C-alpha cells in the first residue's frame, strides 16, 4: 500500500492506523504513510506521536517530518519534550531535515539539559547569530555536544559568511580535549579542495 499511487491506498493506511493495531504493525503503517508525504495523514500520525510505545512515536515523527504541514511542525516541536531520548532525537532529526527555524529556543534548552540530539538539529538551522550565541555557551554545555554543533555548522557549504566561520573555528580551538581536535581535523581535511575556506 505504501508504494501504490492509488488514492485508496492512502485511505486504507489511515483507516488501518485509525482502527488501532499492534506497535510493530503501527511502525510499518507510519513508515508507509511517511512515504506518501500527504497532509491527509497528519491527524492520525499526530495521534500516534503520543503512542505509549516509543518506537511507534519515533515512526510517527519520522513520517510527520516528511509532510509539509504546520501541524506536523507543531508535533515535532512538541516531541522535543518527550520523556524518551530516542523520540527526542527523532523529533530533532525531523526539525533538522525541515530546517525549522522556529525550533531554535527549544533546541537550545535541550542542549543546556545535556541532550546530544539537539546539536545536529541546531547546526542545520544555524544562522550567524545562532553561531555567535553557541560560541558564548562554551563552558555552559558539555564540550562534546558543543563541538558536534559547531562542527556540523562548519560542514554546511551554505553556512557563513567567512568571519562567522572563523569565529566558530576560534571557539573550537578554545575547547580542550579530543572532541574539538577531531572536529577541526575533519574540517581542515574537508577544505582541501577549496583553500579559501
Amino acid at each position: 500500500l505504501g508504494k501504490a499511487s492509488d488514492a485508496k491506498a492512502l485511505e486504507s493506511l489511515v483507516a488501518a492506523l485509525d482502527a488501532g493495531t499492534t506497535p510493530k504493525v503501527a511502525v510499518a503503517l507510519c513508515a508507509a504513510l511517511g512515504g506518501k508525504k500527504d497532509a491527509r495523514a497528519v491527524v492520525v500520525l499526530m495521534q500516534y506521536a503520543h503512542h505509549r510505545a516509543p518506537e511507534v512515536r519515533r515512526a510517527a515523527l519520522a513520517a510527520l517530518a516528511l509532510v509539509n504541514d504546520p501541524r506536523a511542525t507543531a508535533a515535532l516541536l512538541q516531541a522535543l519534550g518527550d520523556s524518551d531520548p530516542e523520540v527526542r532525537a527523532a523529533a530533532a532529526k525531523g526539525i533538522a531535515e525541515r530546517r525549522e527555524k522556529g525550533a531554535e529556543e527549544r533546541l537550545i534548552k535541550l542542549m543546556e539539559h545535556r541532550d546530544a540530539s539537539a546539536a545536529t538539529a541546531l547546526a542545520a538551522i544555524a544562522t550567524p547569530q545562532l553561531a555567535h550565541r553557541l560560541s558564548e555557551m562554551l563552558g555552559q554545555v558539555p564540550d562534546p555536544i558543543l563541538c558536534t554543533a559547531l562542527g556540523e555548522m562548519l560542514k554546511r557549504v551554505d553556512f557563513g559568511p567567512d568571519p562567522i566561520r572563523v569565529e566558530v573555528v576560534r571557539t573550537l580551538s578554545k575547547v580542550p580535549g579530543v572532541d574539538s581536535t577531531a572536529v577541526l581535523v575533519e574540517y581542515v581535511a574537508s577544505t582541501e579542495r577549496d583553500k579559501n575556506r
Side-chain angles (χ1 to χ4, degrees), residues 15-35:
L17 269 181
D18 211 20
T21 185
T22 64
K24 187 175 181 181
V25 174
V27 167
L29 288 169
C30 287
L33 280 172

Side-chain angles (χ1 to χ4, degrees), residues 33-150:
L33 280 172
K36 299 283 186 195
K37 301 178 184 179
D38 196 306
R40 290 174 290 178
V42 168
V43 173
V44 74
L45 288 170
M46 285 173 64
Q47 291 170 355
Y48 276 81
H50 297 285
H51 195 275
R52 69 184 179 281
E55 65 272 18
V56 175
R57 296 199 299 275
R58 287 196 309 269
L61 291 168
L64 283 166
L66 300 171
V67 182
N68 186 15
D69 188 289
R71 297 169 297 172
T73 303
L76 289 166
L77 290 171
Q78 186 178 12
L80 290 174
D82 196 278
S83 59
D84 187 276
E86 291 185 16
V87 174
R88 291 195 303 272
K93 182 180 177 194
I95 286 166
E97 289 169 354
R98 295 163 73 95
R99 300 264 176 125
E100 185 53 54
K101 303 275 189 215
E104 184 178 312
E105 289 304 320
R106 289 190 186 199
L107 290 168
I108 285 176
K109 284 188 181 182
L110 270 183
M111 199 167 166
E112 289 173 342
H113 286 96
R114 302 173 180 271
D115 193 321
S117 64
T120 306
L122 274 170
I125 64 170
T127 59
Q129 294 78 16
L130 178 57
H132 181 68
R133 187 172 174 188
L134 289 180
S135 294
E136 292 177 339
M137 294 175 75
L138 181 61
Q140 298 172 21
V141 296
D143 290 346
I145 296 175
L146 184 62
C147 288
T148 298
L150 296 175

